[in-house]
Structure formats: structure tokens, C-alpha cells
């Protein structure tokens, strides 16, 4: 860690944090909760990473700033902005990472946003916070985050009253095409919503398929209904989708390509869709569809 300019200020009255506080629920972020916590306000003790070499004067400044922080509520993870510096290699942001849980916590990947005084986005970046180590229970750990140049959307903003915040990923949810909205009952929709929420979300940047139903119709067509699942943070458009269907024996039942017009799968959603293979494309008679899978042709 470099020497922060805030450490160079001689007068205690001049030592002020330039950023604001932000907090998220530990339950939402980490699925961790202090169920037995009876306190309304929790004060966090200063905790330095073992690798930090801090002189007495710097330690005094950090303790002074930490003692001036507002207490947290139970089950909160907070970022309290200390100082921001705009450098050639990016924007360096130093903040207290605060934990109101009684137990220590570890972070892995977190997406953080830097907001200006008007709460408009200045930068967004995903950090690997393994190096932060375990933040002890009820503690504040100072840490410096560097937003690289390509993560910055606005460099021209006031360096006062900015906010460093954790961006919680929205829960993966159901998205119905308008044709499905009209075609299914409320009960069917609720069942689909429950299913989508019960499944593990796709990995970031992944698109995958989850089979719902496969059956041979009276006219010998193969009807396959699947959830198309988008793990991207942006919408994904489909134009042509070539598919292979295999039965319980792992044998190919059908193969075909489907043209999808104006079909856009929204970010972080699952959409059900039915693909109908005409009888002419069904290659196996009496397939065992008690177990099956469909996947795109590479």
C-alpha cells in the first residue's frame, strides 16, 4: 500500500474521509446471518491486513477515521470511502471494508461500482478479493481498489461525496415471451418461476439449456420444451439454433435447425421455448424419452 495523501495532513481537523458509506445485506451477498444478534448498532474495530506495514502516525489516522464511522446494523457488509486518487493507470479508491457479523468473512469475486456525488456511474469493475483475506467479525479493514482505465466511464467528477458500492447481481429469473404469457395459466407460470429460482443460475457469461419436456405427438413430430438460460449481464440474440436431441440410451433421436426471429434472451433470465422437429427429422422410432437431452450443434 502506498502512503495516502490523507496521512500527510498535519492537523487532526483536516483529516476527513472524502467518500460516503454504502452497505448491503450479508444475507443477500454471502448468505450469512447472525440470527442471535440482539444489538441495533454495531461498532467495528480496526483490522489491518497482516501484510500492511503501517507506521504509528498512519495507524493513528486510520483509528481516528474508523472511530468516526457510523455504527452498522446487524447483518451488514459496508464500504466506507476514505480517499480517491486519479492516476494514469486508473482510479485508486481506498475504503474501509466493514463486517457487522460476529464471524469472520472471506470474499472472492465482487463487482464494485464507483459513483459520483449525484450517484451516477464513474467506474465498474469485478475484483478478485482473495488477497483481502478474512475480515474478522465486527471489524473494519482498509483496502485499496484500483479501477483500471478500461473500467472507467467518467473521470470528470468531484472527488468529494463519492460512493464505493457493492453491486449485487440480480437473481436469475423467468422471462416469458409474449406468446407464452397468453398461452399458459397463472399456475403454470408460478410453477415455472419456482423451478427457475430453485435451479443453480448459469455461470457468468454462460448460455445453457434445461430440458422440461419431450414427447412424440400423434403426427410423429417430436416436441421438445426447454429453458434457454442466459448467464450474461447483457441480452443475447438468437437467430438460428441447430439442435440435436438424444434419448435415455444416448442415441440421436432428431437433428434440426430452427430459425428464431426477433428472439432476444434478456440478461440473467431463463425463457421456456418449444422446438418442434417434423416427423421427417425424427431418426429413431419409439425413443425412450424418460431421460433425454438437447444441445446445440457445434
Amino acid at each position: 500500500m502506498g502512503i495516502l495523501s490523507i496521512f500527510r495532513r498535519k492537523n487532526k481537523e483536516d483529516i476527513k474521509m472524502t467518500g460516503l458509506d454504502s452497505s448491503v445485506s450479508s444475507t443477500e451477498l454471502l448468505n450469512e446471518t447472525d440470527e442471535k444478534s440482539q444489538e441495533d448498532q454495531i461498532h467495528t474495530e480496526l483490522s489491518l491486513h497482516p501484510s500492511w506495514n503501517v507506521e504509528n502516525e498512519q495507524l493513528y489516522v486510520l483509528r481516528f477515521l474508523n472511530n468516526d464511522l457510523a455504527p452498522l446494523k446487524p447483518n451488514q457488509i459496508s464500504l466506507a470511502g476514505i480517499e480517491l486518487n486519479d492516476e494514469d493507470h486508473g482510479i485508486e479508491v481506498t475504503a474501509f471494508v466493514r463486517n457487522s457479523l460476529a464471524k469472520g468473512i472471506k470474499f472472492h469475486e465482487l463487482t464494485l461500482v464507483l459513483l459520483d456525488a449525484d450517484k451516477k456511474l464513474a467506474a465498474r469493475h469485478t475484483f478478485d478479493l482473495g488477497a483481502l483475506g478474512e475480515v474478522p467479525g465486527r471489524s473494519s479493514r482498509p483496502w485499496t481498489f484500483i479501477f483500471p482505465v478500461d473500467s472507467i466511464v467518467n473521470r470528470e467528477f468531484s472527488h468529494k461525496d463519492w460512493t464505493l458500492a457493492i453491486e449485487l447481481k440480480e437473481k436469475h429469473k423467468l422471462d416469458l415471451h409474449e406468446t407464452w404469457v397468453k398461452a399458459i395459466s397463472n399456475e403454470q407460470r408460478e410453477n415455472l418461476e419456482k423451478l427457475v429460482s430453485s435451479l443453480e443460475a448459469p455461470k457468468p457469461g454462460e448460455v445453457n439449456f434445461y430440458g422440461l419436456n419431450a414427447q412424440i405427438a400423434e403426427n410423429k413430430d417430436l416436441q421438445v420444451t426447454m429453458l434457454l438460460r442466459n448467464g450474461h449481464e447483457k441480452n443475447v440474440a438468437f437467430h438460428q439454433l441447430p439442435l440435436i436431441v438424444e434419448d435415455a440410451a444416448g442415441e440421436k433421436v432428431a437433428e434440426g435447425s430452427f430459425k428464431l426471429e426477433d428472439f432476444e434472451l434478456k440478461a440473467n433470465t431463463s425463457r421456456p421455448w418449444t422446438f418442434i422437429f417434423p416427423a421427417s427429422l425424427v431418426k429413431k422410432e419409439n425413443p425412450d424419452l424418460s431421460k433425454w437431452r438437447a444441445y446445440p450443434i457445434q
Side-chain angles (χ1 to χ4, degrees), residues 73-90:
K73 295 178 181 178
N75 305 313
Q76 280 191 327
I77 307 300
S78 169
L79 297 176
I82 300 174
E83 187 169 67
L84 181 150
N85 289 298
D86 198 341
E87 307 288 352
D88 290 340
H89 60 275

Side-chain angles (χ1 to χ4, degrees), residues 108-113 123-129 145-148 151 167 204 233:
H108 299 287
E109 281 197 347
L110 274 188
T111 299
L112 303 183
V113 291
R124 175 189 282 112
H125 187 61
T126 299
F127 294 86
D128 181 357
L129 293 183
F145 305 88
I146 301 174
F147 286 86
S151 73
E167 185 173 70
E233 292 184 2

Side-chain angles (χ1 to χ4, degrees), residues 3-253:
I3 302 297
L4 297 178
S5 61
I6 203 169
F7 289 146
R8 304 189 191 106
R9 299 172 195 170
K10 299 298 182 184
N11 297 324
K12 188 168 72 171
E13 291 75 16
D14 294 336
I15 300 173
K16 293 180 181 178
M17 295 170 62
T18 61
L20 304 177
D21 293 3
S22 67
S23 61
V24 296
S25 160
S26 62
T27 307
E28 285 188 77
L29 181 65
L30 303 167
N31 199 29
E32 294 282 358
T33 305
D34 273 345
E35 295 180 358
K36 297 180 180 179
S37 180
Q38 302 294 321
E39 299 171 62
D40 293 331
Q41 296 187 332
I42 295 172
H43 296 270
T44 50
E45 297 292 327
L46 180 66
S47 166
L48 296 183
H49 190 277
S51 70
W52 275 35
N53 244 337
V54 176
E55 297 175 2
N56 287 337
E57 185 180 355
Q58 298 167 4
L59 184 61
Y60 167 81
V61 171
L62 289 171
R63 281 184 175 149
F64 175 82
L65 295 175
N66 182 66
N67 290 341
D68 207 34
L69 292 173
L72 294 178
K73 295 178 181 178
N75 305 313
Q76 280 191 327
I77 307 300
S78 169
L79 297 176
I82 300 174
E83 187 169 67
L84 181 150
N85 289 298
D86 198 341
E87 307 288 352
D88 290 340
H89 60 275
I91 298 177
E92 292 187 359
V93 180
T94 302
F96 286 112
V97 181
R98 308 178 69 204
N99 169 25
S100 79
L101 293 168
K103 63 185 290 186
I105 55 172
K106 288 184 179 180
F107 300 97
H108 299 287
E109 281 197 347
L110 274 188
T111 299
L112 303 183
V113 291
L114 178 61
L115 307 174
D116 66 16
D118 297 320
K119 295 295 187 284
K120 292 181 180 178
L121 182 68
R124 175 189 282 112
H125 187 61
T126 299
F127 294 86
D128 181 357
L129 293 183
L132 178 63
E134 181 174 281
V135 180
R138 301 188 173 186
S139 73
S140 301
R141 174 162 290 183
W143 198 252
T144 299
F145 305 88
I146 301 174
F147 286 86
V149 173
D150 61 3
S151 73
I152 301 169
V153 298
N154 176 29
R155 296 189 94 135
E156 304 299 321
F157 65 95
S158 171
H159 289 190
K160 289 183 179 180
D161 295 337
W162 49 270
T163 304
L164 182 67
I166 297 169
E167 185 173 70
L168 290 175
K169 186 177 180 181
E170 288 187 19
K171 290 184 178 179
H172 196 83
K173 59 186 178 181
L174 177 70
D175 174 52
L176 293 176
H177 190 274
E178 58 183 15
T179 56
W180 277 68
V181 173
K182 299 173 183 176
I184 66 174
S185 67
N186 287 337
E187 183 181 0
Q188 289 172 315
R189 179 175 185 146
E190 288 174 5
N191 288 337
L192 282 170
E193 287 174 343
K194 288 178 183 177
L195 174 63
V196 169
S197 64
S198 70
L199 295 173
E200 184 178 351
K203 295 176 182 177
E206 178 184 67
V207 174
N208 63 34
F209 305 99
Y210 180 86
L212 294 175
N213 185 56
Q215 62 182 17
I216 301 291
E218 289 185 7
N219 63 359
K220 305 300 183 183
D221 289 352
L222 173 62
Q223 300 174 350
V224 173
T225 302
M226 299 188 296
L227 283 176
L228 280 65
R229 312 175 71 228
N230 180 14
H232 287 269
E233 292 184 2
K234 54 187 177 182
N235 298 354
V236 174
F238 288 87
H239 302 288
Q240 198 89 7
L241 186 60
L243 287 175
I244 291 176
V245 179
E246 294 178 353
D247 66 2
E251 296 177 351
K252 186 190 296 184
V253 178

